[in-house]
Amino acid sequence: QALSALLGSKPGASMVRRDDFVRRAVATIDHLGRAHAAPRLWPVNPMAGKFSVEQDGGKEVISQANSVRYSAFVAFAESLDSARAAALYKQNYPLFQTAYKELGYPRGYFNDRMVAVIDQLLATPEPAGPLAVKLTEVKGEVASTQPWTRYEFADPQLEALPAGSKALLRMGPDNARKLKAKLREFRRAIATGPGKN
């Protein structure tokens, strides 16, 4: 009920998966700081459409049109009241902490993990120009039916970034900057919150 009150009737509120929201949020936040964040666990629905690339100087790069897929989600995120979201999180923190323990971290504070992952996201580089990508090599005789899911960054340093940072890069620089600004707001509100006692 509290989550529904926060989201209200904002455009994009339907993107949020309210079933088992706390567990989904905890698992996803933890995984965004790791190599892979499984979409089946996300607290939001995956973006519609397919990841798109284009040719630039004989190499494949992320298409500028790809950022449009994320524009509705970014606008929705920007519309949320960061102070209210942080207050809701603090009020229900015991639920998040319990879910974190059940995920396999019986001694740590989820809030510490949340702040650490936000810091990783904020440290995501902002490269100038189009980002080169390549198809992951798949050995075998069975052709992939979804080749758009197999792209990786051509730059090994970018490919080595955690899942959350790579997601920001795929969204395009404007979307990434907007989300980083929102993350800074939320971080300020929770950095001294629960998990420090």
Side-chain angles (χ1 to χ4, degrees):
Q1 290 176 340
L3 180 62
S4 295
L6 173 68
L7 302 178
S9 57
K10 297 179 184 298
S14 61
M15 296 179 191
V16 178
R17 299 187 62 178
R18 302 178 200 200
D19 61 304
D20 212 12
F21 176 81
V22 170
R23 290 178 190 274
R24 290 180 180 280
V26 167
T28 297
I29 290 163
D30 180 57
H31 292 169
L32 287 176
R34 303 186 189 281
H36 183 65
R40 64 183 177 79
L41 298 175
W42 291 352
V44 295
N45 294 311
M47 301 303 101
K50 299 175 183 176
F51 178 78
S52 57
V53 300
E54 59 190 22
Q55 293 293 319
D56 181 12
K59 59 184 179 183
E60 287 188 304
V61 299
I62 297 176
S63 172
Q64 292 183 4
N66 195 62
S67 63
V68 176
R69 293 177 56 219
Y70 300 95
S71 58
F73 173 77
V74 172
F76 167 66
E78 286 189 299
S79 75
L80 293 175
D81 184 319
S82 297
R84 282 187 65 196
L88 176 63
Y89 165 68
K90 290 178 181 181
Q91 179 183 349
N92 292 279
Y93 183 74
L95 298 176
F96 290 90
Q97 182 64 27
T98 297
Y100 191 54
K101 287 182 179 179
E102 291 173 353
L103 191 61
Y105 303 100
R107 300 185 184 192
Y109 288 114
F110 174 67
N111 198 67
D112 292 342
R113 180 60 178 160
M114 168 91 85
V115 171
V117 171
I118 290 176
D119 286 345
Q120 281 184 311
L121 294 171
L122 293 177
T124 300
E126 299 179 9
L131 292 175
V133 293
K134 62 181 181 179
L135 279 171
T136 305
E137 183 181 358
V138 176
K139 297 180 179 178
E141 299 178 3
V142 180
S144 173
T145 58
Q146 295 182 308
W148 58 88
T149 65
R150 289 178 34 228
Y151 279 99
E152 61 182 41
F153 291 103
D155 183 338
Q157 290 186 318
L158 295 183
E159 184 58 28
L161 290 171
S165 292
K166 289 193 284 189
L168 281 178
L169 290 172
R170 288 193 297 271
M171 291 180 186
D174 289 340
N175 286 332
R177 279 191 287 271
K178 290 174 182 177
L179 285 180
K180 282 184 175 183
K182 203 66 182 176
L183 286 169
R184 288 188 189 96
E185 287 181 7
F186 189 72
R187 188 197 187 286
R188 281 194 294 271
I190 68 164
T192 57
K196 301 297 181 184
N197 50 27

